């Protein structure tokens, strides 16, 4: 969860508002930023979701604000870490990740019991976002 900047300093993880097309504000996008040279980049884990969101908005979006944490587990977790005043890049955040994965797995068991396909698909997506692994990998190894 840490990254070395090309300038040699360590980058820290932050949430930032990204403005797309000068019209749409996308809040709570997790980025790496360097305090030394001011370089910043979107963290690789959320890139596919962010590009997907932008693609959905299209070339001429209407003015508005979106909460990125509503469509990405990573962003949501970092918002939670911020609310709990956890320092980024610490074991506390790691613990939150573990907690979140367990919560999603518990919900998955419930969704399976209820045979709720749409929910299962959604949970699978969220789990993949945060762990890079599919739910099915988990259910096999659990
Ligand atoms: Zn730098």
């Amino acid at each position: 969860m840490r990254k070395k900047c090309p300038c040699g300093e360590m980058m820290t993880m932050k949430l930032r508002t990204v403005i797309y097309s000068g019209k749409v504000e996308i809040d709570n996008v997790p980025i790496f930023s360097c305090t030394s040279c001011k370089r910043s980049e979107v963290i690789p884990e959320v890139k596919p979701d962010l590009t997907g969101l932008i693609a959905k908005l299209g070339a001429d979006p209407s003015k508005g604000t979106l909460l990125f944490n509503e469509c990405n587990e990573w962003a949501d977790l970092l918002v939670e870490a911020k609310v709990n005043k956890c320092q980024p890049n610490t074991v506390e955040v790691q613990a939150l990740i573990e907690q979140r994965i367990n919560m999603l797995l518990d919900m998955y068991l419930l969704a399976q019991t209820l045979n709720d396909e749409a929910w299962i698909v959604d949970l699978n997506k969220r789990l993949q976002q945060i762990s890079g692994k599919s739910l099915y990998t988990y259910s096999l190894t659990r």
Side-chain angles (χ1 to χ4, degrees):
M1 290 215 295
R2 300 191 80 168
K3 191 176 191 266
K4 202 171 185 175
C5 181
C7 80
E9 286 296 312
M10 284 312 285
M11 298 177 102
T12 51
M13 203 146 60
K14 290 183 179 172
L15 292 166
R16 176 175 287 179
T17 301
V18 172
I19 297 169
Y20 170 62
S21 221
K23 287 180 185 169
V24 186
E25 284 188 18
I26 307 170
D27 279 345
N28 296 329
V29 177
I31 57 149
F32 279 124
S33 84
C34 173
T35 45
S36 164
C37 71
K38 308 292 174 211
R39 183 190 166 91
S40 65
E41 53 189 72
V42 172
I43 72 167
E45 283 86 351
V46 308
K47 241 182 211 166
D49 272 359
L50 187 65
T51 46
L53 184 68
I54 285 170
K56 249 192 266 169
L57 289 170
D60 189 29
S62 45
K63 230 174 147 70
T65 307
L66 291 168
L67 292 173
F68 188 59
N69 55 303
E70 282 181 356
C71 58
N72 182 273
E73 255 341 80
W74 257 104
D76 198 42
L77 197 118
L78 291 172
V79 170
E80 194 184 313
K82 204 171 137 189
V83 170
N84 293 332
K85 299 195 179 3
C86 295
Q87 286 299 310
N89 310 323
T90 61
V91 282
E92 285 175 82
V93 177
Q94 196 57 47
L96 273 180
I97 295 172
E98 300 279 317
Q99 227 177 58
R100 181 65 64 103
I101 290 174
N102 283 332
M103 189 192 82
L104 289 171
L105 289 172
D106 286 346
M107 282 160 78
Y108 175 59
L109 283 181
L110 190 62
Q112 254 186 339
T113 314
L114 297 172
N115 247 327
D116 189 333
E117 272 301 320
W119 195 14
I120 291 171
V121 168
D122 179 59
L123 287 173
N124 192 38
K125 191 182 125 209
R126 292 170 61 186
L127 198 73
Q128 253 173 337
Q129 285 176 343
I130 203 146
S131 66
K133 284 182 209 154
S134 150
L135 201 48
Y136 307 108
T137 335
Y138 275 102
S139 39
L140 284 175
T141 52
R142 224 189 180 201

